[in-house]
Amino acid sequence: MKSKILNVSFNEDFSKKSYNIHIGTDLILNPKIILRKFIEKRKIIIIHDSYFSLQDNKNKYLYKFVESIKEYSSNVYLLSIPGGDKTKDIFHLNKLIENILSFEIDRESLIIAFGGGVVGDIAGFVSAIILRGINFVQVPTTLLSQVDSSIGGKTGINSKIGKNLIGAFHQPLAVISDMNVLESLPKREFNAGLAEVIKYGLIKDISFFEWLEKEYKDIIRLNQLKLQTIVTKSCEIKAEIVKNDEKEKGERALLNLGHTFAHAIEYFGNHDGRIIHGEAVSIGICLALKFSYFLGFCREEDLKRVANLFEKFNLPTSFNNFKNLSLSSAKLIERFKFDKKNKQNQLTFILNKGIGKSFVHNNVDINDLTQFLDKEI
Ligand SMILES: NC(=O)c1ccc[n+]([C@@H]2O[C@H](COP(=O)([O-])OP(=O)(O)OC[C@H]3O[C@@H](n4cnc5c(N)ncnc54)[C@H](O)[C@@H]3O)[C@@H](O)[C@H]2O)c1
Ligand SMILES: [Zn+2]
């Protein structure tokens, strides 16, 4: 299968910042071709998900990756951190920073994030702040990180107050998305990634949404060609949005469809694995669609169609699946107040005027929201 190279460039940045996303197979086994110019004679720090280890005889991805990098740099350091949102905290951030500084790095050193969205977000944030910013490369190993978190330059960690509240915009030098590495991903994690994929269709591409409806059986079977199409299409849609609005002053907020609800659900789930990000997004998107219908913006048949697609991938679509979180409308609205999209104490939600037509809805009426949530919980 031929690999694809997508270029992401930023219109608002006069320094003409841009980078390539490499999407294909067998890329991790031989990354030196893509990375040579970034790694030659530099100190390389690979922050990797502890799922991968050099000693693993079955899963050789990290081992082969490191061997290939070592052909161009003799100073390669590895730091391992667990996946899962609990790792994205100030404690792990501090530990990474102190370790990396002990390697006597300089501003030419390069960090490589090798793992899912959690590793990518925290390693990206370390790169953004260490020595006031050094370069980094993303090697996403989950579907969610390949289609979403590895591109667009949002990096960060969670605070006790809420998710992703500490961070920086810091773009990678390159992204390497290898379809092969997804083979070991647990089904639940794979499905969670699909929630973000469906999101892109819902935001602005009804034909992609329809393609997902048509191809779902092949997708479930991990057909590599279909997977590559999913990753490529998702990256294209995201890149198109972020290139015009890198720092989220406008259109980029659309990528948050379902996320106001999702982040609140994750908060009450205590990031303990009962609900993972993509599952919370799946519920969040269905709620955003239902809320759009409640306010008269979309049709009932749209809701059914959307929930149907999520269900095909075994994703949760309502609070029913999570009764044990003992949520209430008041508790949820309290959480919504911490959302980064809000301005001047007014709540903002991303809603839909139909499939493929998301929009930013400012100044949401608390009474409407309470009435809606009381019905849903
Ligand atoms: N920066 C952004 O723009 C952005 C966008 C979307 C999501 N996110 C963040 O991404 C995070 C979620 O990312 P995620 O879903 O990748 O979670 P994750 O990084 O926790 O990975 C999920 C699980 O899969 C394991 N894993 C990773 N690669 C594997 C592989 N190839 N085979 C087997 N197991 C593997 C991990 O150890 C972990 O247990 C959240 O923190 C979310 O906030 C960020
Ligand atoms: Zn997300």
Side-chain angles (χ1 to χ4, degrees):
M1 200 161 32
K2 227 173 153 275
S3 32
K4 294 221 156 126
I5 303 176
L6 294 180
N7 183 264
V8 190
S9 52
F10 295 91
N11 290 348
E12 58 184 322
D13 191 318
F14 296 109
S15 62
K16 291 257 177 298
K17 201 165 36 179
S18 89
Y19 58 92
N20 287 335
I21 308 170
H22 302 260
I23 305 165
T25 47
D26 298 331
L27 302 177
I28 287 185
L29 304 183
N30 198 9
K32 62 176 187 280
I33 304 166
I34 298 168
L35 295 182
R36 180 175 180 172
K37 60 176 186 266
F38 306 130
I39 55 181
E40 234 164 1
K41 301 194 190 81
R42 288 169 201 217
K43 282 193 177 164
I44 311 293
I45 301 97
I46 301 175
I47 303 177
H48 68 90
D49 192 306
S50 49
Y51 173 79
F52 300 97
S53 101
L54 293 181
Q55 285 77 35
D56 190 337
N57 284 329
K58 277 199 272 163
N59 191 323
K60 291 266 183 204
Y61 286 109
L62 183 64
Y63 176 80
K64 296 239 164 108
F65 184 82
V66 172
E67 288 303 298
S68 172
I69 297 282
K70 277 186 177 163
E71 286 180 40
Y72 289 107
S73 167
S74 46
N75 291 306
V76 181
Y77 304 88
L78 272 85
L79 292 170
S80 159
I81 51 169
D85 245 284
K86 273 225 175 301
T87 300
K88 255 175 65 175
D89 65 1
I90 201 96
F91 168 76
H92 287 90
L93 179 77
N94 187 45
K95 216 169 137 193
L96 284 174
I97 289 174
E98 294 300 339
N99 271 314
I100 295 171
L101 289 175
S102 76
F103 303 146
E104 297 176 13
I105 58 157
D106 59 32
R107 283 214 170 122
E108 300 269 280
S109 303
L110 177 81
I111 290 182
I112 300 181
F114 190 105
V118 163
V119 171
D121 276 12
I122 192 167
F125 187 42
V126 171
S127 325
I129 58 177
I130 204 160
L131 305 185
R132 296 209 174 86
I134 65 170
N135 284 324
F136 86 117
V137 163
Q138 291 266 22
V139 184
T141 64
T142 62
L143 180 63
L144 188 138
S145 54
Q146 293 191 349
V147 299
D148 194 349
S149 60
S150 62
I151 44 173
K154 276 191 185 176
T155 70
I157 57 168
N158 304 325
S159 132
K160 284 207 177 71
I161 305 280
K163 210 168 143 58
N164 297 338
L165 293 183
I166 305 162
F169 288 99
H170 188 52
Q171 302 295 342
L173 280 184
V175 181
I176 301 179
S177 277
D178 188 329
M179 300 306 104
N180 300 124
V181 80
L182 299 178
E183 279 160 18
S184 56
L185 199 63
K187 200 82 206 146
R188 183 179 176 202
E189 297 291 348
F190 178 78
N191 291 342
L194 287 170
E196 305 277 13
V197 173
I198 295 171
K199 179 186 81 178
Y200 293 120
L202 283 169
I203 292 174
K204 59 184 289 167
D205 194 334
I206 188 166
S207 58
F208 184 43
F209 184 91
E210 285 167 346
W211 182 85
L212 292 167
E213 284 182 318
K214 194 159 81 51
E215 304 293 347
Y216 81 95
K217 284 193 180 140
D218 275 356
I219 297 168
I220 291 170
R221 286 190 212 110
L222 302 189
N223 174 302
Q224 297 246 319
L225 201 61
K226 302 278 157 72
L227 278 187
Q228 190 162 324
T229 306
I230 283 182
V231 177
T232 308
K233 190 75 204 168
S234 301
C235 290
E236 275 168 359
I237 296 176
K238 180 157 182 181
E240 187 57 34
I241 293 176
V242 295
K243 81 172 192 199
N244 294 318
D245 183 20
E246 183 187 2
K247 304 271 164 71
E248 198 167 310
K249 294 186 184 112
E251 194 196 5
R252 185 166 183 172
L254 298 180
L255 294 169
N256 267 286
L257 175 66
H259 280 62
T260 312
F261 293 108
H263 287 162
I265 295 167
E266 285 181 279
Y267 174 83
F268 291 110
N270 199 23
H271 302 307
D272 62 3
R274 268 180 293 175
I275 296 179
I276 52 177
H277 180 70
E279 291 170 344
V281 168
S282 169
I283 301 175
I285 290 177
C286 290
L287 289 171
L289 263 285
K290 282 184 198 163
F291 192 38
S292 306
Y293 170 66
F294 180 83
L295 295 176
F297 290 120
C298 73
R299 299 168 308 171
E300 196 172 11
E301 61 200 77
D302 293 332
L303 315 182
K304 292 199 176 128
R305 202 169 154 193
V306 171
N308 232 327
L309 187 55
F310 282 114
E311 277 159 13
K312 288 207 164 89
F313 299 116
N314 237 333
L315 284 161
T317 57
S318 75
F319 286 124
N320 285 345
N321 309 61
F322 297 101
K323 284 280 185 227
N324 56 350
L325 296 186
S326 48
L327 300 171
S328 70
S329 52
K331 273 191 193 169
L332 283 168
I333 291 171
E334 248 341 277
R335 295 307 315 160
F336 297 160
K337 291 185 182 158
F338 292 102
D339 191 88
K340 293 192 287 305
K341 290 186 293 304
N342 300 333
K343 286 190 191 98
Q344 290 147 8
N345 286 332
Q346 291 172 350
L347 294 182
T348 296
F349 277 78
I350 310 303
L351 299 181
N352 267 53
K353 291 186 176 160
I355 292 168
K357 292 184 204 150
S358 289
F359 68 102
V360 181
H361 188 49
N362 293 312
N363 203 1
V364 168
D365 188 284
I366 301 272
N367 290 330
D368 285 343
L369 191 57
T370 308
Q371 241 186 50
F372 166 72
L373 287 170
D374 284 343
K375 204 167 58 65
E376 288 301 320
I377 295 171

